[in-house]
Amino acid sequence: MKRTVTPIRLASPRWRSQPVAIGVIALACLVAGLLYIAVQVRALYSDHFQQQYASLVLEAVARADSALDAASLLKRAPPSKRPSDTTSNGVDKRYRQALDQLDTRITDLDALIGSSPVPAPRLPQADATVKSLDDLRQSLAATADYWHTRRDAISTDVRRRTLRVASVLAVLTVVVTGTLLAALVVFARRHRHLTGLTHRFQHAAQHDAMTGLPNRQQLLARLDGVAVGPAPEPCALLYIDLDGFKQVNDTLGHGVGDDFLVALAQRFRQSLRPGDLVARMGGDEFAALVSGYGGDAELVGIATRLMNCVGDTDARMGLGLVRASIGIATYPDRVADHRLLVAAADSAMYEVKRHGKNGYAFAIPPGSNSAPIPPA
């Protein structure tokens, strides 16, 4: 016989963003971006310094050009006829002074170029009296063109670096903002998850796991709120014990018993008023806390409805075994201390059991005598 093996499909793991991984990646991006910005800012300072230096060189070239123009004009001027205006070798004194001024400008310019932070072509060292003024003019023009080109290139580099820094800052802003948003989303999800867990823990601590009814702790807390609040009001506690329920577990099994308790809890909820509370005290015992009632007659009606709930549930499941004994204690007329209300109702319930079960009885106030009342 050929066997067919069905392949098992493994669920693909769902990727979940981890806050630590996101933080590490964002921190690495931030550090890298800051280092890049630091390098670019340092380069910008260097470019700014070179721009200023190029401007100084161009100003020195302009002063040398002015001195050269002055020397050229004096060279073309007619010579002075007065002996005092000429030197011993017959050179005009004003022209000689202009040449000396030009030599000073050329020397200052060459020294400035020699101190450049970046290597640059130097001026030829030659005496202005020997070197042709036209050649010197061409040399100054070439120097001016070089430094103009250099300053323009530096300006372009500054604009490019500034754009890079702005782009990196924009990216870092997006990364930091995205990281903060991701952290807020993770925090919100975890807060919501913890809130849900806290709510479930609180619900589990105050409710019966099987029936979903409030447990003894919640009933006692509700009783304290009603009887010890700013405006205490009369309240009554009906303590319910199921007669014959042990026989259901022993003969039919605990599964049937659990189904009975769950169905009975639902019937109890439906039979009580919206403001009343029904709780499972443990095992086959329940309690109903009633406030704002209109007297013993109304309490009797509530007890009767609860007993009918037990009988109807038993009939629906076809058991024929389970009935209820109910003890009723009221605060403050029958029980002066609300902390003794549960014990008083429990004692009244056991009084019903001693007199034949399947009935209800009020807690006996001090100095009175009454007997349990069986159902009609």
Side-chain angles (χ1 to χ4, degrees):
M1 184 176 183
K2 186 178 180 179
R3 297 180 60 187
T4 303
V5 180
T6 303
I8 300 175
R9 294 183 178 180
L10 298 177
S12 58
R14 183 180 178 182
W15 183 85
R16 294 182 180 179
S17 59
Q18 298 295 329
V20 175
I22 294 176
V24 170
I25 294 174
L27 182 60
C29 293
L30 184 61
V31 171
L34 291 177
L35 289 176
Y36 180 81
I37 290 176
V39 172
Q40 295 298 322
V41 169
R42 182 179 180 181
L44 284 174
Y45 276 114
S46 176
D47 289 343
H48 181 66
F49 174 73
Q50 293 184 39
Q51 274 186 319
Q52 291 181 334
Y53 203 89
S55 298
L56 291 176
V57 173
L58 290 174
E59 290 177 2
V61 170
R63 289 194 296 268
D65 277 334
S66 299
L68 180 60
D69 291 339
S72 298
L73 289 176
L74 290 174
K75 183 178 181 180
R76 291 193 298 268
S80 177
K81 296 180 179 182
R82 292 183 299 177
S84 59
D85 291 340
T86 59
T87 60
S88 58
N89 56 3
V91 180
D92 192 297
K93 288 185 178 180
R94 292 179 301 173
Y95 178 61
R96 180 71 264 177
Q97 292 174 352
L99 290 178
D100 292 342
Q101 182 69 22
L102 177 58
D103 283 337
T104 302
R105 298 298 185 188
I106 294 298
T107 301
D108 293 342
L109 174 61
D110 187 66
L112 187 62
I113 293 175
S115 301
S116 172
V118 178
R122 304 287 294 274
L123 288 175
Q125 296 293 327
D127 191 351
T129 58
V130 178
K131 187 176 178 62
S132 171
L133 295 182
D134 292 336
D135 292 341
L136 186 59
R137 188 181 302 277
Q138 292 178 0
S139 178
L140 289 176
T143 301
D145 290 341
Y146 172 80
W147 284 96
H148 274 297
T149 302
R150 183 170 177 175
R151 188 174 64 177
D152 293 341
I154 294 174
S155 299
T156 302
D157 187 65
V158 167
R159 288 193 296 269
R160 185 171 61 251
R161 291 182 185 276
T162 304
L163 182 60
R164 289 176 181 174
V165 170
S167 301
V168 172
L169 285 175
V171 172
L172 291 181
T173 302
V174 172
V175 170
V176 172
T177 304
T179 303
L180 291 177
L181 291 177
L184 288 176
V185 169
V186 171
F187 174 78
R189 287 179 178 175
R190 292 196 171 185
H191 178 71
R192 183 174 58 187
H193 179 66
L194 292 177
T195 302
L197 288 178
T198 302
H199 178 73
R200 287 196 291 269
F201 289 154
Q202 291 178 348
H203 186 274
Q206 297 182 351
H207 289 78
D208 177 61
M210 184 176 64
T211 62
L213 291 178
N215 57 15
R216 177 186 291 269
Q217 286 75 16
Q218 186 174 354
L219 177 74
L220 296 178
R222 177 74 172 272
L223 180 60
D224 289 337
V226 172
V228 192
E233 58 178 326
C235 60
L237 185 74
L238 291 82
Y239 204 97
I240 310 158
D241 183 82
L242 302 182
D243 303 324
F245 182 75
K246 184 177 182 301
Q247 188 177 356
V248 174
N249 284 334
D250 293 341
T251 58
L252 302 178
H254 289 276
V256 176
D258 292 345
D259 293 341
F260 181 86
L261 293 177
V262 172
L264 181 61
Q266 184 65 28
R267 293 296 301 272
F268 279 164
R269 287 195 193 96
Q270 296 172 355
S271 66
L272 293 177
R273 301 172 305 175
D276 299 335
L277 176 72
V278 59
R280 186 185 181 194
M281 305 299 284
D284 59 353
E285 296 180 346
F286 297 84
L289 180 62
V290 178
S291 59
Y293 57 92
D296 289 351
E298 186 174 357
L299 294 177
V300 169
I302 294 174
T304 303
R305 290 202 305 271
L306 294 174
M307 295 172 64
N308 290 336
C309 288
V310 176
D312 292 343
T313 305
D314 178 85
R316 286 176 180 271
M317 296 184 66
L319 303 179
L321 297 172
V322 187
R323 295 294 181 267
S325 298
I326 300 178
I328 308 172
T330 57
Y331 169 84
D333 50 352
R334 288 184 172 85
V335 180
D337 189 349
H338 72 282
R339 292 172 296 185
L340 303 176
L341 203 60
V342 175
D346 184 59
S347 298
M349 180 270 296
Y350 276 107
E351 190 68 23
V352 174
K353 286 184 173 293
R354 283 193 293 268
H355 287 78
K357 303 180 181 181
N358 192 25
Y360 61 87
F362 285 89
I364 303 174
S368 64
N369 186 17
S370 62
I373 303 174

